[in-house]
Amino acid sequence: MRVGVLTGGGDCPGLNAVIRGIVRKGVQEYGYEFTGFRDGWRGPLEGDAIPLDIPAVRGILPRGGTILGSSRTNPLKQRGGIERIKENLARMEVEALIVIGGEDTLGVAAELTDRHGVPCVGVPKTIDNDLSATDYTFGFDTAVNIATEAIDRLHTTAESHMRVLVVEVMGRHAGWIALHSGLAGGANVILVPEHRFDVDQVCAWVTSRFRATYAPIVVVAEGASPKDGDMVLKDGSLDSFGHVRLSGVGEWLAKQIEKRTGKEARTTVLGHVQRGGTPSAFDRWLATRFGLHAIDCVRDRAFGTMVALRGTDIVRVPIADATARLKTVSPELYEEAGVFFG
């Protein structure tokens, strides 16, 4: 049996660990052959692929990124895209496809399996941790650790100059990175997309910290919005899945704080630093287990399913269920963090 593997959407630490787990178990225990498609859905669309075997995956466990490359290609928006994928899979004798990605990439996999008969198995990947049906996605833990370390470092320079430091982290619709890193890093304000913020209240919290002779750290997710305004965009362009480019809320907020409080405020945008580099031990562990269980799904012909973490168990859930809605920060969790605001 020949199995295809692709990694789509934004890169993140742990992708190579999944590929390694899939290939090692698939070759050693089931005798499968593997084809790796380049650059997400572009690979099967254009028939661009490389062979994957055990030598190809040696040494990749600690590497960030993906040896297969990635992209935000959306075959559903390509003319004849579905038919081209089916023709290329047939020509290359690929009998099943393991799709490693987030909401958009897995949404395409669900469409291909449910409506077009392409046998797909999903593996959840996103640093935003916003896929429902799984407790955690790999890449998230590494991103949180990177953001937390940055916040730790910023505390000392904020205190040295007694200025406000605003840290902008990733999180388009879900504030998991902001919430986890903000709590772990001792931030004084945490702002997430799920809860619109009041700029005056933020300024009040900032002023309160200065009265205590403490320089405040504000952590804001890129998708957070003020109550009396709109989401801050980098520009008006859209990607192939219809998403706008975010960035800028941190700089906007710093200017508002400086204007309203008279205190100097600076911004640090972590951006793609959160996606890069060596995966954490937890992400290596989770990604490896996802890979091992994904190839078991292929063996069992459990197509249309995604592997997911529930507690410490890896379970199978319908891909369509995992992509039907986003997993977001609940009011209760956000309220917990509010104890440390101001």
Side-chain angles (χ1 to χ4, degrees):
M1 185 177 189
R2 183 177 297 277
V3 180
V5 181
L6 68 83
T7 54
D11 69 298
C12 78
L15 284 166
N16 287 322
V18 181
I19 298 168
R20 173 178 173 268
I22 290 168
V23 173
R24 285 289 297 269
K25 187 169 187 178
V27 171
Q28 292 176 191
E29 296 199 11
Y30 304 139
Y32 293 164
E33 296 180 344
F34 291 91
T35 294
F37 288 103
R38 294 182 183 273
D39 303 333
W41 285 112
R42 187 191 69 79
L45 262 175
E46 301 180 6
D48 188 1
I50 59 172
L52 283 178
D53 53 18
I54 289 180
V57 300
R58 285 201 182 109
I60 68 172
L61 176 63
R63 286 175 55 184
T66 164
I67 62 171
L68 296 178
S70 191
S71 73
R72 297 190 185 277
T73 303
N74 184 357
L76 303 181
K77 295 292 181 66
Q78 303 274 340
R79 187 170 184 177
I82 302 300
E83 291 308 314
R84 285 164 57 190
I85 287 177
K86 294 175 73 172
E87 289 169 4
N88 284 326
L89 293 179
R91 176 177 58 82
M92 302 171 79
E93 299 181 335
V94 172
E95 301 175 53
L97 193 59
I98 297 179
V99 179
I100 310 166
E103 174 196 9
D104 296 323
T105 302
L106 292 178
V108 174
E111 175 81 9
L112 287 174
T113 301
D114 295 342
R115 298 191 179 184
H116 301 281
V118 178
C120 296
V121 168
V123 176
K125 169 241 57 161
T126 168
I127 66 168
D128 287 344
N129 197 39
D130 60 1
L131 274 175
S132 59
T134 185
D135 290 350
Y136 287 99
T137 54
F138 68 88
F140 171 68
D141 184 70
T142 304
V144 168
N145 286 338
I146 291 169
T148 301
E149 181 180 357
I151 295 166
D152 286 346
R153 291 177 180 275
L154 290 170
H155 272 293
T156 56
T157 187
E159 291 163 7
S160 296
H161 295 275
M162 287 305 289
R163 60 166 63 120
V164 185
L165 285 184
V166 179
V167 185
E168 182 183 308
V169 300
M170 285 185 167
R172 176 180 296 272
H173 301 297
W176 294 109
I177 294 176
L179 182 67
H180 282 237
S181 65
L183 274 175
N188 309 113
V189 181
I190 301 170
L191 307 175
V192 297
E194 295 88 340
H195 306 273
R196 284 181 171 266
F197 61 87
D198 184 329
V199 179
D200 288 333
Q201 177 63 73
V202 172
C203 291
W205 284 326
V206 165
T207 302
S208 171
R209 298 310 289 178
F210 276 115
R211 283 201 296 267
T213 64
Y214 191 90
I217 299 286
V218 178
V219 175
V220 56
E222 61 185 353
S225 302
K227 286 183 177 179
D228 55 354
D230 298 320
M231 184 182 293
V232 179
L233 307 181
K234 190 176 185 66
D235 55 49
S237 62
L238 303 176
D239 65 18
S240 62
F241 288 96
H243 298 310
V244 294
R245 296 178 66 191
L246 299 180
S247 185
V249 66
E251 186 65 29
W252 178 88
L253 182 59
K255 290 178 180 178
Q256 292 294 317
I257 292 171
E258 198 164 273
K259 177 182 176 181
R260 301 186 190 202
T261 67
K263 300 293 185 179
E264 184 180 5
R266 299 288 180 86
T267 308
T268 298
V269 181
L270 297 184
H272 288 81
V273 169
Q274 296 157 95
R275 291 191 180 280
T278 301
S280 68
F282 178 83
D283 279 341
R284 297 186 203 189
W285 171 85
L286 180 58
T288 298
R289 292 189 70 202
F290 276 164
L292 298 176
H293 284 262
I295 197 62
D296 286 346
C297 288
V298 172
R299 177 203 58 186
D300 297 340
R301 307 193 69 81
F303 301 123
T305 62
M306 182 191 83
V307 292
L309 181 69
R310 296 279 178 81
T312 57
D313 296 329
I314 305 296
V315 300
R316 300 173 184 178
V317 299
I319 298 177
D321 289 355
T323 58
R325 62 179 180 83
L326 290 177
K327 182 178 67 179
T328 54
V329 175
S330 69
E332 293 77 16
L333 272 177
Y334 189 63
E335 187 177 342
E336 286 180 2
V339 171
F340 302 99
F341 295 178

